[in-house]
Short mmCIF file of all heavy atoms in Angstrom, two decimals:
data_model
loop_
_atom_site.label_atom_id
_atom_site.label_comp_id
_atom_site.label_asym_id
_atom_site.label_seq_id
_atom_site.Cartn_x
_atom_site.Cartn_y
_atom_site.Cartn_z
N LEU A 23 103.83 107.61 136.81
CA LEU A 23 104.31 108.16 138.12
C LEU A 23 104.03 109.64 138.20
O LEU A 23 104.47 110.36 137.21
CB LEU A 23 105.79 107.92 138.31
CG LEU A 23 106.34 106.49 138.39
CD1 LEU A 23 107.87 106.44 138.35
CD2 LEU A 23 105.93 105.90 139.79
N LYS A 33 116.12 97.68 127.20
CA LYS A 33 115.67 96.42 127.85
C LYS A 33 116.80 95.80 128.64
O LYS A 33 117.94 96.04 128.32
CB LYS A 33 115.19 95.41 126.81
CG LYS A 33 113.91 95.83 126.13
CD LYS A 33 112.67 95.81 127.02
CE LYS A 33 111.46 95.87 126.22
NZ LYS A 33 110.27 95.73 127.12
N VAL A 41 126.82 96.34 129.85
CA VAL A 41 127.58 96.38 131.11
C VAL A 41 128.83 95.42 131.07
O VAL A 41 129.92 95.74 131.46
CB VAL A 41 126.63 95.98 132.26
CG1 VAL A 41 127.43 95.64 133.57
CG2 VAL A 41 125.62 97.03 132.56
N CYS A 52 142.98 98.62 133.09
CA CYS A 52 143.58 98.76 134.46
C CYS A 52 145.03 98.54 134.51
O CYS A 52 145.53 97.62 134.01
CB CYS A 52 142.86 97.94 135.51
SG CYS A 52 141.40 98.73 136.11
N ALA A 71 126.54 97.42 141.08
CA ALA A 71 126.53 96.04 141.49
C ALA A 71 126.80 95.14 140.27
O ALA A 71 127.57 94.18 140.37
CB ALA A 71 125.10 95.67 142.13
N TYR A 74 130.47 95.88 138.76
CA TYR A 74 131.58 95.43 139.62
C TYR A 74 131.65 93.92 139.67
O TYR A 74 132.79 93.39 139.63
CB TYR A 74 131.33 96.00 141.08
CG TYR A 74 132.53 95.74 141.93
CD1 TYR A 74 133.78 96.29 141.69
CD2 TYR A 74 132.37 95.09 143.13
CE1 TYR A 74 134.86 96.00 142.47
CE2 TYR A 74 133.41 94.86 144.03
CZ TYR A 74 134.69 95.35 143.59
OH TYR A 74 135.75 95.12 144.44
N PRO A 80 139.43 90.51 142.02
CA PRO A 80 139.27 90.21 143.42
C PRO A 80 140.10 91.14 144.38
O PRO A 80 139.77 91.25 145.53
CB PRO A 80 139.76 88.78 143.50
CG PRO A 80 140.31 88.36 142.28
CD PRO A 80 139.88 89.35 141.24
N SER A 82 140.54 94.35 143.80
CA SER A 82 139.95 95.73 143.77
C SER A 82 139.03 96.02 144.96
O SER A 82 138.65 95.07 145.68
CB SER A 82 139.16 95.96 142.46
OG SER A 82 137.99 95.17 142.50
N THR A 85 133.74 101.36 147.05
CA THR A 85 133.26 102.11 148.12
C THR A 85 132.14 103.00 147.68
O THR A 85 132.03 103.24 146.43
CB THR A 85 134.28 102.90 149.01
OG1 THR A 85 133.86 103.37 150.17
CG2 THR A 85 134.94 103.99 148.24
N LYS A 90 124.31 115.19 145.41
CA LYS A 90 122.99 115.29 144.75
C LYS A 90 122.93 116.60 143.91
O LYS A 90 123.36 117.64 144.34
CB LYS A 90 121.88 115.35 145.78
CG LYS A 90 120.61 114.71 145.25
CD LYS A 90 119.54 114.46 146.29
CE LYS A 90 118.32 114.05 145.72
NZ LYS A 90 117.18 114.89 145.94
N GLY A 106 131.32 110.50 152.43
CA GLY A 106 131.65 109.08 152.53
C GLY A 106 132.98 108.61 151.87
O GLY A 106 133.17 107.47 151.87
N ASP A 110 142.02 106.39 151.56
CA ASP A 110 143.15 107.13 151.12
C ASP A 110 143.40 106.84 149.60
O ASP A 110 143.62 105.58 149.29
CB ASP A 110 144.41 106.77 151.85
CG ASP A 110 145.61 107.48 151.51
OD1 ASP A 110 145.51 108.50 150.67
OD2 ASP A 110 146.73 107.21 151.99
N THR A 128 128.18 117.32 138.16
CA THR A 128 128.56 116.43 139.22
C THR A 128 129.90 115.70 138.99
O THR A 128 130.72 115.69 139.88
CB THR A 128 127.47 115.32 139.37
OG1 THR A 128 126.19 115.87 139.38
CG2 THR A 128 127.55 114.48 140.58
N THR A 138 142.56 116.67 144.16
CA THR A 138 143.24 117.30 145.27
C THR A 138 143.90 116.24 146.17
O THR A 138 144.76 116.57 146.98
CB THR A 138 142.35 118.16 146.13
OG1 THR A 138 141.36 117.32 146.79
CG2 THR A 138 141.73 119.18 145.27
N LYS A 145 139.23 107.94 136.35
CA LYS A 145 138.35 107.79 135.14
C LYS A 145 136.92 107.53 135.67
O LYS A 145 136.68 107.36 136.82
CB LYS A 145 138.79 106.50 134.48
CG LYS A 145 140.14 106.68 133.74
CD LYS A 145 140.39 105.44 132.96
CE LYS A 145 141.79 105.58 132.16
NZ LYS A 145 142.07 104.24 131.66
N PRO A 170 119.86 110.62 123.86
CA PRO A 170 119.45 112.03 123.72
C PRO A 170 119.12 112.70 125.01
O PRO A 170 118.94 111.96 126.03
CB PRO A 170 118.26 111.95 122.73
CG PRO A 170 117.93 110.59 122.66
CD PRO A 170 118.93 109.72 123.26
N ARG A 172 116.86 113.43 127.15
CA ARG A 172 115.50 113.13 127.62
C ARG A 172 115.52 112.51 128.98
O ARG A 172 116.58 111.94 129.43
CB ARG A 172 114.78 112.20 126.65
CG ARG A 172 114.57 112.84 125.26
CD ARG A 172 114.08 111.80 124.23
NE ARG A 172 112.79 111.29 124.64
CZ ARG A 172 112.23 110.29 124.00
NH1 ARG A 172 112.84 109.66 123.01
NH2 ARG A 172 111.10 109.95 124.35
N ILE A 174 115.10 110.07 131.98
CA ILE A 174 115.13 108.64 131.99
C ILE A 174 114.88 108.12 133.42
O ILE A 174 115.23 108.88 134.42
CB ILE A 174 116.63 108.25 131.62
CG1 ILE A 174 116.89 108.61 130.26
CG2 ILE A 174 116.94 106.79 132.02
CD1 ILE A 174 116.18 107.84 129.17
N LEU A 175 114.30 107.00 133.62
CA LEU A 175 114.26 106.34 134.95
C LEU A 175 114.31 104.85 134.86
O LEU A 175 114.22 104.31 133.77
CB LEU A 175 113.04 106.88 135.77
CG LEU A 175 111.69 106.78 135.26
CD1 LEU A 175 111.07 105.48 135.24
CD2 LEU A 175 110.81 107.72 136.24
N ASP A 182 111.93 111.41 142.08
CA ASP A 182 111.73 111.69 143.49
C ASP A 182 111.74 110.40 144.31
O ASP A 182 110.84 110.16 145.17
CB ASP A 182 110.27 112.36 143.71
CG ASP A 182 110.29 113.83 143.10
OD1 ASP A 182 111.46 114.34 142.90
OD2 ASP A 182 109.24 114.30 142.80
N LEU A 188 112.94 99.36 138.80
CA LEU A 188 112.58 98.79 137.51
C LEU A 188 113.83 98.20 136.79
O LEU A 188 114.86 98.78 136.80
CB LEU A 188 112.04 99.90 136.60
CG LEU A 188 110.73 100.60 137.04
CD1 LEU A 188 110.39 101.84 136.24
CD2 LEU A 188 109.56 99.62 137.17
N ASP A 190 114.26 97.49 133.62
CA ASP A 190 114.61 98.16 132.30
C ASP A 190 114.73 99.65 132.51
O ASP A 190 114.32 100.17 133.55
CB ASP A 190 113.53 97.87 131.28
CG ASP A 190 113.27 96.42 131.14
OD1 ASP A 190 114.19 95.61 130.99
OD2 ASP A 190 112.02 96.03 131.04
N VAL A 193 111.80 105.94 129.44
CA VAL A 193 111.97 107.34 129.03
C VAL A 193 110.59 107.95 129.07
O VAL A 193 109.56 107.32 128.87
CB VAL A 193 112.64 107.47 127.58
CG1 VAL A 193 111.65 106.93 126.53
CG2 VAL A 193 113.05 108.88 127.29
N VAL A 198 101.82 113.99 122.82
CA VAL A 198 101.33 114.06 121.49
C VAL A 198 100.66 115.38 121.35
O VAL A 198 99.74 115.83 122.12
CB VAL A 198 100.33 112.95 121.25
CG1 VAL A 198 99.79 113.02 119.82
CG2 VAL A 198 100.97 111.59 121.60
#
Side-chain angles (χ1 to χ4, degrees):
L23 291 169
K33 296 287 195 176
V41 168
C52 274
Y74 189 56
S82 67
T85 192
K90 212 170 174 239
D110 181 6
T128 311
T138 64
K145 289 184 180 172
R172 293 172 66 190
I174 295 296
L175 51 72
D182 292 341
L188 297 172
D190 303 317
V193 68
V198 181

